[in-house]
Amino acid sequence: MPGQIVLEDFQIESLLNNNNYAAAADYLFNSQMKSWELLKKNYDALRNVQTESFWFNGVKLKVQFNPERFKSTSAEVDEDSVKNRECFLCVENLPDEQKGIKIRDDFIMLCNPYPIFPQHFTISSLNHKPQSISESFSEFLVMSRQLSPQYTLVYNGPACGASAPDHLHFQAGTKNFMPIENDIQQLKNDFGKIIQEDEIITTSFINDGFRRLILIESTEHKMIVKTFTRIYKAYEKLFQDDVEPMMNILCTYNSVFGWSVIIFLRSKHRPEYFYKNDPDRILISPAAIDLGGLVITPREEDFIRIDKELLQQIFREVSLDEKNFSLLAEKVKA
Ligand SMILES: [Zn+2]
């Protein structure tokens, strides 16, 4: 790894040595705000972005008009486009101003210069290898615990939202900024079906009418990995494809209740509206953060046009259909 990418700082080193990853990330963020002009400009702009909230049966979706996200929302992620571009997550291609902190052995945590959250990070593998949750889920859980005092962890599958499907990465964002983090227990109570429950772990399948998600709650790392693997295998079998079955994941950790893993199941990457010509086009490309209730519209015309019905229609279209969702629940239960 090129040495200059790691922020060399006595304070960060001491925070990391004490396993205080969240404080180290916060320190990195503040340091980059001082030294990286583009970053500061974009975070300052984020403070004034327009948002609008919509309510569905007592749960919230928030729409954020964020012009800086145009590039990532509209990114071409097909195999050829990815092959023909330089990988923007490989450390040798990062901007000169960018610094990071090492997380675990082979990840680096970097400030995202095109933020959605008040603090938004990319945690990318130091090796260029494909985005894959089956290979990295255990690490993902550990990291979410390490960063949990301040951040929530995000994973987007290679075929449903990852902007670099060829380079393993997660995101971390300011805790409790996505509405679902506050709404999840209500969603579970109102729309959930408990598939597995004992003193160690609870797994619920939740269908709120426009999203299909699975919630795994436990304090036991091993049990979550075991349950996730079982779900993953059953889900993979439903499609028999050679790519990872489409899912987006959010993960939080709390010292009393342990982990909450929210897995959104998908049927497609982007809605029909995305591919229409203007003026019919709506540039929304739903991934974990959007499904978590924080929907990004990079264009003002879409922000103005979006309403409750369109949001529901778009979410319903990209979410796993009810039939397969029930089928999966049966298989996981068995
Ligand atoms: Zn790469």
Side-chain angles (χ1 to χ4, degrees), residues 183-200:
D183 292 344
I184 190 67
Q185 288 305 321
Q186 191 189 335
L187 281 170
K188 180 182 158 188
N189 291 337
D190 293 353
F191 306 104
K193 209 187 207 172
I194 292 174
I195 295 295
Q196 170 194 24
E197 187 171 41
D198 55 37
E199 58 281 3
I200 301 171

Side-chain angles (χ1 to χ4, degrees), residues 30-207:
N30 289 316
S31 156
Q32 289 272 270
M33 284 289 274
K34 284 180 207 138
S35 60
W36 189 0
E37 212 175 298
L38 169 81
L39 189 87
K40 177 157 173 30
K41 183 179 140 264
N42 287 346
Y43 278 90
D44 286 346
L46 186 70
R47 285 196 204 115
N48 300 312
V49 292
Q50 295 180 65
T51 58
E52 195 179 353
S53 294
F54 298 92
W55 294 88
F56 301 85
N57 303 319
V59 298
K60 189 157 104 171
L61 293 190
K62 199 159 74 177
V63 182
Q64 182 189 82
F65 167 42
N66 189 336
E68 295 301 333
R69 295 294 297 180
F70 183 83
K71 227 173 117 185
S72 61
T73 298
S74 55
E76 301 281 359
V77 283
D78 58 282
E79 210 173 313
D80 277 349
S81 308
V82 168
K83 234 183 245 165
N84 292 319
R85 60 113 170 91
E86 209 170 52
C87 177
F88 58 90
L89 290 181
C90 278
V91 283
E92 60 270 24
N93 300 328
L94 295 173
D96 292 342
E97 298 91 336
Q98 188 137 43
K99 299 281 175 205
I101 50 178
K102 264 188 90 176
I103 297 277
R104 326 262 316 139
D105 283 338
D106 43 8
F107 285 87
I108 188 154
M109 187 163 185
L110 304 158
C111 294
N112 185 335
Y114 302 102
I116 292 170
F117 299 96
Q119 287 191 14
H120 193 165
F121 301 89
T122 303
I123 301 170
S124 73
S125 165
L126 288 169
N127 304 308
H128 184 84
K129 58 177 181 185
Q131 182 79 329
S132 160
I133 195 63
S134 57
E135 302 286 314
S136 59
F137 185 69
S138 173
E139 289 278 287
F140 179 72
L141 288 181
V142 175
M143 269 183 228
S144 82
R145 185 184 59 209
Q146 288 169 329
L147 292 164
S148 64
Q150 291 190 53
Y151 309 103
T152 296
L153 240 68
V154 177
Y155 171 84
N156 284 318
C160 58
S163 49
D166 54 338
H167 192 126
L168 176 63
H169 67 285
F170 310 128
Q171 297 176 67
T174 310
K175 204 172 175 167
N176 292 328
F177 198 69
M178 287 175 280
I180 202 163
E181 293 177 63
N182 295 311
D183 292 344
I184 190 67
Q185 288 305 321
Q186 191 189 335
L187 281 170
K188 180 182 158 188
N189 291 337
D190 293 353
F191 306 104
K193 209 187 207 172
I194 292 174
I195 295 295
Q196 170 194 24
E197 187 171 41
D198 55 37
E199 58 281 3
I200 301 171
I201 193 160
T202 306
T203 305
S204 319
F205 273 56
I206 302 169
N207 172 6

